[in-house]
Amino acid sequence: MIAVVFSGSRFSDWRLADKGKIVTGFRMMGINPYLHDERFILQLLNKSNNLINYAEQIRRIYFFGAGSSSPERKDKIAAVLKQFFIHAKVTVDHDVKASALSTLGDEKGLIGILGSGSNAAYFNGKRTADNNFGLGYILADEGSANWIGRMLLKSFLNETMPDDLREKFVERYPLDRKIILDKVYNQVNPTLFLTSFADFVMENHKHRFIKKIIHRGFKLYIETYLLPLIKQHPNMAVNFTGSVAAGYEEWLREVAHEYDITIGAVIREPIHNLMKYYLNKN
């Protein structure tokens, strides 16, 4: 039996398969080595009846997650998974690699992520090339759900949010300046708080103010991530994964067209294609 996992900061998607067929699939809390220690991750695994029931049957685990980029953080995740899945050989890699495999397979190309966070890379068919992106929710993540949440909160606190949208926001969320600043600067996992406004943004995406924020995020993302990559690898389309890329695909393609960038495949959740990829490999 094999397990394939794709984890963002908010959620992790799991697929378990045996003899070429998917046995079960489910979603649980995200696992991020930046945000969670080994004890927390192990406790999370032990709360899942799905995992407990199949733990001893699993022989291979392919885990891809946000934050799982450096050898130290990969080892951190691998150590916990090996402790829980005692018979499994564990592979841990970055979410960018998952996005590459799910849209490109073993082909070369450019990959972009616009989901809870944001990133981009060149994939040579085997691995993603090193870059200076992926600086996290404080220094980067332009265009992502986290970044959009930050811009929304900033406009609310600075009172630059239009009155009609502000009324909807206040009705939806019992927040004030003190609570917001505490959640962002003092509470654990501020990224979960920042990305929690994704549904509100989608529900109001036709509002001119929301549309302006999203378009600005896409422009910053393209100028920061994609233009340097395309300069190194010209005439390549960019394939995307992530909830923001998929949810606002039409706008993403429009903004990319302004920069003469071609968008290839756009998929919301890499887990489906990842499982297909590894079912064909095993």
Side-chain angles (χ1 to χ4, degrees):
M1 180 176 287
I2 67 170
V4 178
V5 189
F6 179 80
S7 180
S9 295
R10 293 183 68 192
F11 306 109
S12 60
D13 286 313
W14 295 68
R15 296 292 184 275
L16 277 57
D18 189 32
K19 298 178 181 178
K21 295 183 179 181
I22 296 177
V23 175
T24 185
F26 53 91
R27 170 172 283 187
M28 53 192 286
M29 182 178 176
I31 297 173
N32 188 322
Y34 268 124
L35 306 175
H36 308 129
D37 59 24
E38 291 91 334
R39 180 180 179 183
F40 179 90
I41 298 170
L42 189 60
Q43 289 176 341
L44 182 65
L45 298 177
N46 276 301
K47 290 179 181 178
S48 172
N49 289 330
N50 283 305
L51 295 181
I52 292 172
N53 292 336
Y54 292 106
E56 294 190 4
Q57 300 176 48
I58 294 175
R59 295 295 184 269
R60 291 295 304 264
I61 298 178
Y62 303 94
F63 179 97
F64 300 89
S68 300
S69 52
S70 72
E72 295 79 11
R73 290 191 291 274
K74 290 179 183 178
D75 290 344
K76 180 179 179 179
I77 296 295
V80 179
L81 294 177
K82 289 176 182 177
Q83 186 176 346
F84 187 84
F85 301 98
I86 58 175
H87 301 304
K89 182 176 181 181
V90 177
T91 299
V92 177
D93 217 321
H94 200 213
D95 57 350
V96 178
K97 176 71 173 291
S99 296
L101 293 178
S102 64
T103 59
L104 294 166
D106 295 322
E107 300 297 321
K108 299 178 181 179
L110 297 177
I111 181 68
I113 294 178
L114 278 168
S116 297
S118 62
N119 211 327
Y122 169 71
F123 182 63
N124 68 5
K126 294 183 178 179
R127 68 179 186 87
T128 55
D130 294 335
N131 57 46
N132 293 320
F133 307 143
L135 299 178
Y137 75 98
I138 294 177
L139 296 178
D141 276 355
E142 294 87 350
S144 69
N146 158 54
W147 183 90
I148 293 169
R150 295 205 318 265
M151 297 303 103
L152 193 71
L153 289 175
K154 185 176 180 180
S155 69
F156 174 73
L157 294 175
N158 290 342
E159 299 185 357
T160 57
M161 181 183 289
D163 291 341
D164 58 336
L165 190 63
R166 187 181 184 86
E167 289 178 8
K168 292 181 180 181
F169 188 84
V170 171
E171 183 179 353
R172 179 78 167 268
Y173 303 105
L175 297 171
D176 58 24
R177 182 182 183 88
K178 182 179 179 181
I179 293 174
I180 291 172
L181 294 180
D182 180 63
K183 286 183 175 293
V184 172
Y185 292 108
N186 297 325
Q187 300 299 316
V188 296
N189 297 348
T191 55
L192 299 183
F193 173 65
L194 292 171
T195 57
S196 68
F197 302 100
D199 290 342
F200 178 83
V201 172
M202 175 55 74
E203 291 166 10
N204 295 279
H205 73 278
K206 293 183 179 180
H207 193 289
R208 66 190 185 282
F209 187 76
I210 295 292
K211 185 174 182 179
K212 185 177 179 180
I213 289 177
I214 294 172
H215 273 247
R216 180 186 169 213
F218 286 166
K219 286 178 179 290
L220 284 172
Y221 174 85
I222 288 172
E223 292 172 2
T224 304
Y225 297 80
L226 297 189
L227 293 184
L229 285 175
I230 290 173
K231 186 176 181 180
Q232 297 176 32
H233 308 282
N235 304 317
M236 276 192 169
V238 185
N239 296 293
F240 274 91
T241 64
S243 57
V244 174
Y248 307 101
E249 179 179 349
E250 182 179 352
W251 293 353
L252 177 60
R253 291 184 182 276
E254 288 176 359
V255 176
H257 182 70
E258 295 176 14
Y259 292 85
D260 293 323
I261 294 173
T262 301
I263 304 297
V266 178
I267 63 174
R268 180 179 295 272
E269 299 170 351
I271 188 66
H272 306 295
N273 287 0
L274 276 177
M275 176 52 84
K276 291 179 182 177
Y277 177 85
Y278 283 108
L279 283 177
N280 290 331
K281 293 289 184 179
N282 286 273

